[in-house]
Amino acid sequence: MKTVLITGTTSGIGKAFAEKFAYEGYNLILAARNEQKLKQQQAALQETYHVAVKYIAQDLTQENAAGLIMADIDKWKATIDVLVNNAGFNECGFFTDTSLDRELEMINMHIRFVTELTKRILVHMKENGYGRILNVGSTGSFIPSPTDAVYSATKAYIMSFSNALRGELSKTGIKITTLCPGATKTEFAAKANIQNTLLFKIAVMNPEKVVGIAYRKMMKGRRLVIPGIYNKLLVVFSKVMPISLTNRITVFMMR
């Protein structure tokens, strides 16, 4: 049986990915911060899908998080066939008003952690000649977002990083996919205090639908997944509109 490592699994898109991979018969390694929720998730997945589930309780914003995860994987002698870099959060608001500490933690998680964990996992995937890596970006990967400046910048990094790796690995059995969802019905918006904005009142998708689309296309080796017609149109229009206009629209949507 193949094994998938998923980060940020106790809610939202990460939780839906864990359910999907378990349904497809994968053994799972789950990495997130809340050990109590991880224990509950482990028990539920094992009972429902009869697959092996291990978990790593770790604050993924910490500088040594990737190394600690790899220490457990090496200890278990686990072979990772699929990596889903899903963990993330948002600190939303005008840049002069937001928490610098939270933004630096976000940069650590979205950039440093994703970069280091991907590099460490890729070493083993290249030895095995097979792998699938899905990095969760955002429609914000395409759109510099006033009131969400740091978040969108980190997601732009994820897209650029993923696209470059895909080019490097084009002649291997490893495929890199970037998932760029828009507004999704998860705890993400409430934690960032943006659940009542216009952005989260229009064309909000369920995480299970997002994951169903993403799983199928990732396994086919697709480079980019933008789930939902609304999100696809949003990205298309953002490429042809001037930044001055997209900036005004973004601020309006985030009210």
Side-chain angles (χ1 to χ4, degrees), residues 58-105:
Q58 177 62 44
D59 181 352
L60 305 183
T61 67
Q62 299 302 304
E63 290 188 0
N64 62 343
L68 293 172
I69 287 173
M70 290 307 301
D72 279 340
I73 289 171
D74 292 341
K75 178 181 67 179
W76 296 329
K77 301 187 186 310
T79 298
I80 305 301
D81 302 285
V82 181
L83 168 63
V84 178
N85 278 313
N86 165 76
F89 67 95
N90 197 355
E91 172 69 10
C92 191
F94 286 102
F95 184 63
T96 52
D97 300 330
T98 50
S99 165
L100 177 60
D101 288 342
R102 288 291 285 166
E103 286 165 340
L104 292 175
E105 288 179 347

Side-chain angles (χ1 to χ4, degrees), residues 45-251:
L45 290 170
Q46 289 182 153
E47 181 178 354
T48 303
Y49 299 104
H50 308 291
V51 294
V53 181
K54 296 181 183 292
Y55 70 81
I56 301 168
Q58 177 62 44
D59 181 352
L60 305 183
T61 67
Q62 299 302 304
E63 290 188 0
N64 62 343
L68 293 172
I69 287 173
M70 290 307 301
D72 279 340
I73 289 171
D74 292 341
K75 178 181 67 179
W76 296 329
K77 301 187 186 310
T79 298
I80 305 301
D81 302 285
V82 181
L83 168 63
V84 178
N85 278 313
N86 165 76
F89 67 95
N90 197 355
E91 172 69 10
C92 191
F94 286 102
F95 184 63
T96 52
D97 300 330
T98 50
S99 165
L100 177 60
D101 288 342
R102 288 291 285 166
E103 286 165 340
L104 292 175
E105 288 179 347
M106 189 185 348
I107 291 168
N108 250 347
M109 180 184 283
H110 294 183
I111 296 179
R112 181 190 178 107
F113 172 72
V114 167
T115 302
E116 183 177 353
L117 185 63
T118 300
K119 193 178 192 77
R120 289 171 176 265
I121 292 293
L122 268 175
V123 171
H124 297 289
M125 285 184 173
K126 287 188 75 174
E127 290 174 354
N128 298 328
Y130 174 85
R132 293 288 184 272
I133 297 177
L134 183 140
N135 293 326
V136 177
S138 165
T139 50
S141 298
F142 300 89
I143 307 168
S145 305
T147 73
D148 226 357
V150 177
Y151 176 81
S152 290
T154 64
K155 293 301 185 177
Y157 171 88
I158 285 174
M159 169 163 285
S160 179
F161 173 64
S162 301
N163 285 341
L165 289 185
R166 187 177 177 90
E168 292 183 11
L169 298 164
S170 61
K171 296 182 180 179
T172 72
I174 303 167
K175 300 297 182 185
I176 312 293
T177 299
T178 309
L179 169 63
C180 291
T184 308
K185 191 177 181 180
T186 69
E187 297 176 6
F188 175 89
K191 289 178 179 178
N193 198 31
I194 54 176
Q195 72 275 22
N196 295 321
T197 61
L198 188 57
L199 177 66
F200 279 86
K201 293 179 180 177
I202 300 175
V204 180
M205 296 183 69
N206 289 321
E208 292 78 15
K209 185 167 185 178
V210 170
V211 165
I213 295 168
Y215 176 87
R216 183 174 68 254
K217 293 188 176 183
M218 172 181 60
M219 289 306 169
K220 289 181 179 178
R222 291 284 293 275
R223 177 186 69 85
L224 175 65
V225 182
I226 305 173
I229 295 298
Y230 174 83
N231 295 321
K232 288 183 173 69
L233 290 173
L234 183 69
V235 169
V236 169
F237 287 131
S238 74
K239 291 180 177 180
V240 298
M241 287 191 297
I243 290 293
S244 59
L245 181 55
T246 58
N247 279 351
R248 288 200 297 270
I249 293 171
T250 299
V251 171

